[in-house]
Amino acid sequence: MTIKAIILIGGPNKGQRFRPLSFDSPKHMFPVGGQTIIGHLIESCLRLKEVGEIILLGFHQQDETLSQSYLQNLVERYTGNRQDRGHVPTIKYLQEFTRMGTAGGLYHFRDQLRHNDPTELVVINGDVCGDFDFDSMLAQHRERIEWAKRTNHPKPYITVMTTEADRQESLNYGCIVENQENHVIEHYVEKPSTFVSNVINCGAYICSLDLLDLLEDTMRKKRQESTANSNIVLNDRPIYTHRPDPDHDYLTLELDILQQRFNLPHCFAYRTQGAWWCQVKTAASAIYANKKYLEHNRESAGDGNHHSATERRSNSGECEIIGHVYIHPTAKVDASSVIGPNVSIMENCIIGPGVRIKDSIILKNALVHPHSLILCSIVGWDCSIGAWARVEGTPGEPDPNQRFAKVQNPPLFNPVGKLNPSISVLGSNVKVSCGTVILNTIALPHKELSRTYRNEIVL
């Protein structure tokens, strides 16, 4: 038996709340915890031993990061001890011709998804991070199929991974009401205006191939309705009561399948048990994902690049490491620097003497001059932080006093038009002058910050 895994990576007009970082890199290629988000998702999919093919689905223009050779190298990197299976899973990128939603691409490429008769499809959104236990989820999905056969219930088409959120935060996600005995989804509302349930959709699914037949039927009905609404004739003259739908190929799992499931075969919920999960919508959520991946990878990584408080290491000495830290092998960190906790330092970075970095991500080719301080910030590609400068943001982690709290993804501005406090983000090639204080500030690429900025957006 083989399974196909599909990762939905969206397109270039997405990730607006992730700006200015998404100007230089698509969100799925942003590094957290020492590797890209897409790398973490591929690794999660490969934990399923039956996965024989991974498909990236989106409408990004194909570049070197979506080339066949690059993607296959990723798979081989994460396959590791699966070599004894006799083959390495294949991977490819299928490019949509326009924005199609979370289910439109599945419909458009349905013949390729059916090829080789996979037993199931694993579908996961490209902007979610977490500890995904697909093995247990698959086992439950197959148990529900057997249960449906025994009880003469409709065959399950889809199992949805769920977690819990508090009452207020649940309004930002798809909310699920499930039968507690058999886990059948009885009601689903995407981003409701009032409280529905504290059980939310994680954006990860295991689907039977019957889902593709359901998508065909749903798309056919949608196009028929669109045509009927846009071509009403009165007294031999056409009256257009609705504009023809420009997104006639747009289809979503959330709105067109789950939310309309009152007349569909059963959908099921799989509740994660104690696993962490977050959706990467903003730079602040990337900092939280970085922290959680560092904690998780420290337990399993054997590459020598993940470090804990018990280790001291750098390429040019032994800097002090606090908590969980990732330092790329090509980065150079001075022995007098103090790094951590929750810090990732990427390729070719240079960290000078006396630097203190905490709860931050330092991206490729960044240069941090002596005695600088970086707290709760993301320093972009090719940035330069002057000596004695201070770059600091406001932490955006979940409230530790609330059991099911999730990362807050507030809008940039509050209702009175002021910038909401958040982490500081420097776009690519930003130059920060010596002795400058940057606090809760977002700087677009190629800016020179020669004075103090507080709670500002530098355009």
Side-chain angles (χ1 to χ4, degrees), residues 16 45 68 187 394 457:
Q16 295 182 7
C45 293
Q68 187 62 40
H187 188 52
T394 300
I457 298 178

Side-chain angles (χ1 to χ4, degrees), residues 356-410:
R356 178 71 174 101
I357 305 177
K358 175 184 177 184
D359 295 317
S360 299
I361 300 173
I362 314 299
L363 296 174
K364 184 177 178 180
N365 295 328
L367 172 61
V368 183
H369 287 88
H371 308 293
S372 297
L373 175 65
I374 302 174
L375 304 175
C376 300
S377 301
I378 296 179
V379 177
W381 303 267
D382 302 297
C383 283
S384 175
I385 310 297
W388 298 99
R390 182 185 184 102
V391 181
E392 183 175 357
T394 300
E397 292 192 4
D399 185 349
N401 297 317
Q402 296 187 20
R403 183 181 177 188
F404 301 120
K406 295 291 181 286
V407 179
Q408 297 286 343
N409 289 310

Side-chain angles (χ1 to χ4, degrees), residues 135-192:
D135 280 309
S136 297
M137 187 178 178
L138 177 63
Q140 179 179 299
H141 179 77
R142 290 174 175 173
E143 287 174 4
R144 293 297 96 191
I145 292 176
E146 295 302 318
W147 171 83
K149 291 178 180 178
R150 294 194 306 268
T151 58
N152 294 322
H153 278 266
K155 181 181 177 180
Y157 280 8
I158 185 169
T159 296
V160 184
M161 182 177 289
T162 66
T163 186
E164 295 185 58
D166 64 35
R167 188 181 184 93
Q168 184 61 36
E169 290 174 351
S170 68
L171 305 181
N172 299 318
Y173 303 94
C175 294
I176 292 172
V177 178
E178 64 173 304
N179 185 307
Q180 294 299 319
E181 294 183 359
N182 54 31
H183 305 291
V184 171
I185 296 177
E186 298 180 338
H187 188 52
Y188 182 93
V189 183
E190 182 70 16
K191 298 180 181 177

Side-chain angles (χ1 to χ4, degrees), residues 394-447:
T394 300
E397 292 192 4
D399 185 349
N401 297 317
Q402 296 187 20
R403 183 181 177 188
F404 301 120
K406 295 291 181 286
V407 179
Q408 297 286 343
N409 289 310
L412 276 178
F413 300 97
N414 61 24
V416 297
K418 293 185 177 181
L419 193 67
N420 278 318
S422 185
I423 70 167
S424 287
V425 182
L426 306 183
S428 63
N429 203 25
V430 170
K431 312 297 181 186
V432 178
S433 298
C434 298
T436 302
V437 176
I438 308 298
L439 179 64
N440 298 336
T441 292
I442 299 173
L444 270 63
H446 306 285
K447 301 298 177 184

Side-chain angles (χ1 to χ4, degrees), residues 53 73 79 106 129-130 181 202 206 216 244 257 280 327 375 398 405:
E53 183 177 17
N73 286 337
T79 299
L106 301 178
C129 296
E181 294 183 359
C202 287
I206 291 183
E216 290 184 24
I257 301 300
V280 180
I327 301 175
L375 304 175

Side-chain angles (χ1 to χ4, degrees), residues 254-397:
E254 300 82 5
L255 296 176
D256 296 299
I257 301 300
L258 294 175
Q259 192 158 300
Q260 301 296 329
R261 71 152 304 279
F262 55 84
N263 60 349
L264 300 178
H266 282 154
C267 306
F268 288 83
Y270 168 77
R271 185 77 61 88
T272 55
Q273 301 294 331
W276 72 274
W277 174 88
C278 79
Q279 190 175 32
V280 180
K281 290 294 186 184
T282 63
S285 56
I287 290 289
Y288 176 72
N290 182 68
K291 171 185 175 181
K292 300 304 290 186
Y293 272 130
L294 287 174
E295 293 174 355
H296 175 73
N297 289 343
R298 175 59 200 157
E299 300 173 358
S300 57
D303 56 10
N305 303 321
H306 291 79
H307 312 283
S308 68
T310 61
E311 298 176 272
R312 300 164 59 88
R313 171 249 184 231
S314 77
N315 281 5
S316 47
E318 293 186 349
C319 68
E320 182 176 355
I321 300 293
I322 301 175
H324 302 285
V325 170
Y326 172 84
I327 301 175
H328 192 274
T330 61
K332 296 182 180 179
V333 183
D334 190 89
S336 61
S337 296
V338 180
I339 310 297
N342 312 320
V343 172
S344 289
I345 300 175
M346 303 311 296
E347 300 98 312
N348 302 319
C349 290
I350 299 176
I351 310 299
V355 170
R356 178 71 174 101
I357 305 177
K358 175 184 177 184
D359 295 317
S360 299
I361 300 173
I362 314 299
L363 296 174
K364 184 177 178 180
N365 295 328
L367 172 61
V368 183
H369 287 88
H371 308 293
S372 297
L373 175 65
I374 302 174
L375 304 175
C376 300
S377 301
I378 296 179
V379 177
W381 303 267
D382 302 297
C383 283
S384 175
I385 310 297
W388 298 99
R390 182 185 184 102
V391 181
E392 183 175 357
T394 300
E397 292 192 4

